[in-house]
Amino acid sequence: MNVKAPGLAPETAARAFLNRFAGVYTLDLPGMTLETHRVITTGHGTTVQLKPRFNGLEIAGAQFNVTLDRGNTVLSVTTGMRPMRAIETRPSLNE
């Protein structure tokens, strides 16, 4: 699943990779978004940390860490995200 993205910012390249493989990571559900948490750059490349949200709610423990080399080739993706299905997130009262 190697994707090269020279000329893009590391965050943009990381997001493009996750968008391309959204179905693999369950990011293709309606209401799913990614919020940039941190971008860490070293002499060898960059790690972009993104937190998924579902209908505005943060998914605890599901942060994505996308590591790229200096040419913005994705080297690895780690996450605590587990496959999920769409659920109703609006509160309601049941009798």
Side-chain angles (χ1 to χ4, degrees), residues 12-54:
T12 304
R15 286 177 177 277
F17 181 89
L18 292 176
N19 284 338
R20 181 172 178 190
F21 297 101
V24 173
Y25 298 109
T26 320
L27 294 171
D28 55 350
L29 294 175
M32 187 69 72
T33 59
L34 289 172
E35 176 182 288
T36 301
H37 175 64
R38 186 178 300 148
V39 178
I40 303 164
T41 302
T42 68
H44 301 286
T46 303
T47 297
V48 179
Q49 297 177 339
L50 300 135
K51 292 187 175 184
R53 292 185 169 274
F54 184 68

Side-chain angles (χ1 to χ4, degrees), residues 8-95:
L8 293 179
E11 180 184 351
T12 304
R15 286 177 177 277
F17 181 89
L18 292 176
N19 284 338
R20 181 172 178 190
F21 297 101
V24 173
Y25 298 109
T26 320
L27 294 171
D28 55 350
L29 294 175
M32 187 69 72
T33 59
L34 289 172
E35 176 182 288
T36 301
H37 175 64
R38 186 178 300 148
V39 178
I40 303 164
T41 302
T42 68
H44 301 286
T46 303
T47 297
V48 179
Q49 297 177 339
L50 300 135
K51 292 187 175 184
R53 292 185 169 274
F54 184 68
N55 289 339
L57 301 173
E58 184 177 327
I59 302 170
Q63 177 173 293
F64 283 84
N65 300 295
V66 182
T67 302
L68 307 101
D69 67 11
R70 287 183 286 188
N72 285 338
T73 298
V74 174
L75 301 175
S76 69
V77 176
T78 60
T79 184
M81 182 86 157
R82 299 184 186 267
M84 59 183 283
R85 59 185 170 82
I87 57 171
E88 183 60 53
T89 58
R90 286 182 290 222
S92 65
L93 297 175
N94 295 324
E95 294 187 56

